[in-house]
Structure formats: structure tokens, C-alpha cells
Amino acid sequence: MGLSYFWFIAAAVIGAMDLYFGNFFLLVISAAAFTTALFSFFLSSVYLQVAIFTVISLLVISYLMLLQRHLREVDFYSEILRRHIGKTVTVHEWRHNRYATVQYNGRVWEAEIAFNAGGNLRAGKYKIWKMLSNRLVLIP
């Protein structure tokens, strides 16, 4: 029971450090200490309590690091795609009044018009509104 107070105090101190430093990983460690304090009511072994604290901390921190790396990669690719938005392409002929084949950035792309109110589309220059994995979405 005496060790439970230690875990609660550790959770409070580490949580206060998180508020001061603004580091999210300290909040994870504080939550792990709080969870260990709850488990300490049922487990009297100090080794099990430290193991629970370590496992919870490492699992959640490694998950957050993987998530952060994934979000960084997604943001990197979306930044690459944002560079192409607003560039112009030349459409020579529209198929079925909505689709066309255009050449952009050294590749042949399938393109479609973003907003078509049913009017006839003419050949000419169009801006890239959205870039999907296999086609360009264009606006006049």
C-alpha cells in the first residue's frame, strides 16, 4: 500500500513536468505511473509493478513514435503533391465531355474536369485542382 502512494506521487510530478515542458511523452509516462499505481493495489511485488510501468511506457511511446513517423511521411508526400496544384496543363481533346488525356511533368495522365455543369468543354489550358494517384482533376 505504501508503494501505491509513490506511484500516485510520481504520476502527479511527471504530469506537472509535462504541463511545464509541454512534452507529450511525459504525459505518457505519467499515465503509465498512474496505471501502475492502480495495479499496485492488487500486486504487492515491486518487480511486477516496475515491469508493468516499463511495458506500458515502452509500448505507448513506441506506438506514438511510429505514428509520428507515419504522419511525417504522409505530410511529406502531401507537400510534394501541393507543389503541383495550380500548374497549368493543355488539354487537346475531351472524351465523353468529362475525361481527357494530358501530358504533364513528363508523363501521360488521365485527367477529368472537377466541376462540369453539363456544358461542352473546349480544348485549351486548365489548372490542376487536385492530384490523385492516377489522375489529375482540372478546373478551367
Side-chain angles (χ1 to χ4, degrees):
M1 185 72 165
L3 199 55
S4 299
Y5 295 123
F6 166 76
W7 289 114
F8 281 121
I9 292 170
V13 169
I14 295 170
M17 287 173 54
D18 172 61
L19 291 175
Y20 181 75
F21 291 113
N23 188 346
F24 188 73
F25 292 112
L26 289 175
L27 183 63
V28 170
I29 294 172
S30 174
F34 183 78
T35 306
T36 306
L38 295 177
F39 275 111
S40 69
F41 287 120
F42 306 109
L43 303 171
S44 61
S45 172
V46 175
Y47 298 115
L48 284 176
Q49 293 176 18
V50 171
I52 289 172
F53 173 74
T54 305
V55 167
I56 291 173
S57 297
L58 290 177
L59 284 178
V60 174
I61 286 176
S62 61
Y63 172 75
L64 289 175
M65 289 176 71
L66 287 173
L67 182 67
Q68 185 180 21
R69 187 175 76 190
H70 172 71
L71 291 176
R72 194 176 320 127
E73 288 174 1
V74 168
D75 190 41
F76 173 72
Y77 289 118
S78 61
E79 182 62 36
I80 289 174
L81 292 178
R82 271 190 233 123
R83 292 182 196 161
H84 298 288
I85 304 301
K87 303 284 185 178
T88 58
V89 294
T90 303
V91 176
H92 297 289
E93 180 183 6
W94 288 99
R95 293 186 320 258
H96 308 295
N97 206 23
R98 183 162 175 84
Y99 298 99
T101 303
V102 297
Q103 185 165 358
Y104 173 69
N105 206 17
R107 288 180 49 199
V108 176
W109 290 81
E110 286 294 316
E112 70 173 292
I113 193 71
F115 308 106
N116 188 5
N120 286 336
L121 295 171
R122 296 190 175 105
K125 296 208 179 270
Y126 289 84
K127 286 188 177 184
I128 298 174
W129 180 63
K130 189 189 293 185
M131 193 172 195
L132 302 174
S133 61
N134 59 351
R135 69 181 186 275
L136 301 174
V137 181
L138 305 176
I139 57 174

